[in-house]
Amino acid sequence: VRENAPDILDIPEELIRDGDTFNIIRLNGLAPMIGWAMGAATGHTVVALWREERLYLCESTTVSECWPTNGIQCNPYSTWVKWAKEADMHAVWAPLDRREGARTLDANKAWSLVDQLVGNDYGYEVVLMGWLDTIKDNLPCVKDRVNPDFCLEAETFELLFSFVQRVSFDAARVFVPAVQQRAGVPFNSTLLQAYHAAALKGIMPTEIFSIPEKDGWLYETTRDGKPVVSTSMVCNVFVCNVWKAGGLFNGTDVNCGDTSVNDNYKLKMYQDPELRPDICKEIGPENPNCQIIGKYSLRLDSQPGVPPRYNYVPLETLGDEEMFGHCPSMAPDYLAPMDC
């Protein structure tokens, strides 16, 4: 518990720059489950952008009992913080590197992408794809003191979603369109038809979901509630694409589509924690990030997993097409190569 912390840490807005992120977890069950599966400290992320001397936080999210608007959106910073506090969120500010010569974001180019995407529905079609990088080393297990671990197996998806597709279009969205995309079949195909088409190409049902998601793949989704064919992005994929559009990766063709929620804050492009503002050090002297809301302490460098967890993957490795597409995430140790 954060003792003596204010309800909202009043960070002067002028300290926040284009491309900075706010990383969030809400202790509602879903976000901790996402964090547990991926080995992340958070379940959501948003990106800061200035426009006409006003600061916005932009994100891909869903309308719910705790959030009033749906899809890809940008809200004034003060409004966002108010809503996040009312929703009992925990959020830390992660500023980009401020040193001379560090990479910076071109806000105009970033806004050009954001303006094209605002109103798009949340990326349900790809929500599992940044997590499922391997055939078995991302699937959760139930631990037993006596018997061997009981783990979810790849074969389960074929049985489960073949049934789900028959009874709930919405529930099937989290898996079936991604398989159809990889199999190269129409989105009105059945899952079994997709598996069959993939098998004819030599792709087995147990491995198709581990094929990395590609930027630019199009899905049937909605924009402002109306059907469209467009890209599909979850929160971290959206933020990564904003960075890419704004030139933060120096033209490197980073494949944002296959990132998971903690891949973004692993990248070594954030400010040295020792240089964080005094107001942040006073409230959280041990926290390398600046927590703006939340009853409990949130640290991006904390467990689960083996350190380091934050700000350590060199940007020079981003040219590797498979960088984000081969990462295991098995609890409780989350052992993975250093480029994961």
Side-chain angles (χ1 to χ4, degrees):
V1 177
R2 300 169 66 220
E3 301 291 345
N4 303 317
D7 287 344
I8 298 175
L9 182 61
D10 188 18
I11 300 174
E13 291 188 12
E14 61 269 18
L15 296 181
I16 303 169
R17 297 189 183 178
D18 293 313
D20 289 356
T21 61
F22 289 79
N23 299 272
I24 303 114
I25 193 165
R26 181 172 182 258
L27 302 179
N28 62 342
L30 178 59
M33 183 174 66
I34 293 172
W36 171 77
M38 296 184 177
T42 60
H44 187 52
T45 185
V46 307
V47 63
L49 289 174
W50 285 87
R51 173 175 267 178
E52 296 179 353
E53 300 185 355
R54 193 171 191 185
L55 177 62
Y56 293 85
L57 295 189
C58 301
E59 62 190 313
S60 178
T61 190
T62 61
V63 65
S64 68
E65 76 282 355
C66 68
W67 205 256
T69 53
N70 187 64
I72 293 179
Q73 57 193 276
C74 296
N75 296 295
Y77 176 77
S78 57
T79 301
W80 187 94
V81 172
K82 176 178 179 292
W83 289 350
K85 176 63 178 65
E86 292 172 350
D88 291 326
M89 292 184 180
H90 297 67
V92 293
W93 169 40
L96 297 178
D97 194 348
R98 305 291 200 250
R99 293 176 300 177
E100 185 177 352
R103 302 184 184 192
T104 57
L105 188 84
D106 185 324
N108 290 329
K109 293 180 179 178
W111 274 113
S112 293
L113 174 69
V114 172
D115 288 338
Q116 295 175 35
L117 297 176
V118 165
N120 274 17
D121 198 7
Y122 179 73
Y124 291 105
E125 293 79 9
V126 299
V127 69
L128 299 180
M129 294 302 107
W131 166 46
L132 297 175
D133 286 348
T134 67
I135 295 175
K136 65 177 183 178
D137 290 336
N138 301 105
L139 303 181
C141 296
V142 175
K143 299 292 182 179
D144 191 291
R145 295 181 180 180
V146 178
N147 299 311
D149 294 348
F150 181 75
C151 300
L152 181 65
E153 296 181 352
E155 290 81 358
T156 307
F157 291 106
E158 181 178 359
L159 174 63
L160 174 62
F161 282 99
S162 294
F163 171 74
V164 168
Q165 187 181 31
R166 299 176 185 179
V167 298
S168 175
F169 170 81
D170 289 336
R173 282 181 71 188
V174 304
F175 186 76
V176 173
V179 173
Q180 294 165 331
Q181 179 77 257
R182 286 155 175 77
V185 299
F187 290 119
N188 62 356
S189 304
T190 67
L191 183 59
L192 293 182
Q193 288 172 328
Y195 278 133
H196 177 67
L200 294 177
K201 301 175 182 178
I203 305 170
M204 299 304 295
T206 53
E207 64 183 359
I208 191 168
F209 62 76
S210 66
I211 296 173
E213 183 72 21
K214 300 295 185 183
D215 289 345
W217 278 356
L218 302 179
Y219 291 88
E220 292 180 349
T221 183
T222 61
R223 179 177 296 135
D224 297 324
K226 299 178 180 179
V228 295
V229 175
S230 183
T231 53
S232 182
M233 299 182 187
V234 294
C235 60
N236 51 281
V237 174
F238 169 71
V239 170
C240 181
N241 272 283
V242 171
W243 284 340
K244 183 164 70 170
L248 197 60
F249 301 138
N250 281 358
T252 301
D253 188 18
V254 177
N255 184 39
C256 295
D258 208 53
T259 60
S260 60
V261 72
N262 50 333
D263 285 330
N264 289 12
Y265 66 72
K266 293 176 182 178
L267 297 177
K268 191 173 179 58
M269 60 182 189
Y270 294 96
Q271 185 181 50
D272 183 341
E274 294 301 318
L275 301 179
R276 67 193 189 280
D278 290 340
I279 187 174
C280 302
K281 296 178 181 178
E282 293 169 4
I283 295 299
E286 303 299 323
N287 194 333
N289 302 109
C290 191
Q291 186 162 347
I292 61 168
I293 52 173
K295 178 180 179 181
Y296 303 100
S297 178
L298 173 60
R299 296 181 57 150
L300 300 183
D301 68 335
S302 66
Q303 298 293 332
V306 177
R309 305 297 299 164
Y310 168 68
N311 198 28
Y312 70 92
V313 176
L315 291 178
E316 290 73 24
T317 66
L318 289 178
D320 180 2
E321 184 176 322
E322 300 299 321
M323 175 182 171
F324 298 122
H326 67 283
C327 299
S329 59
M330 293 289 287
D333 297 323
Y334 300 97
L335 298 177
M338 280 296 293
D339 60 349
C340 282

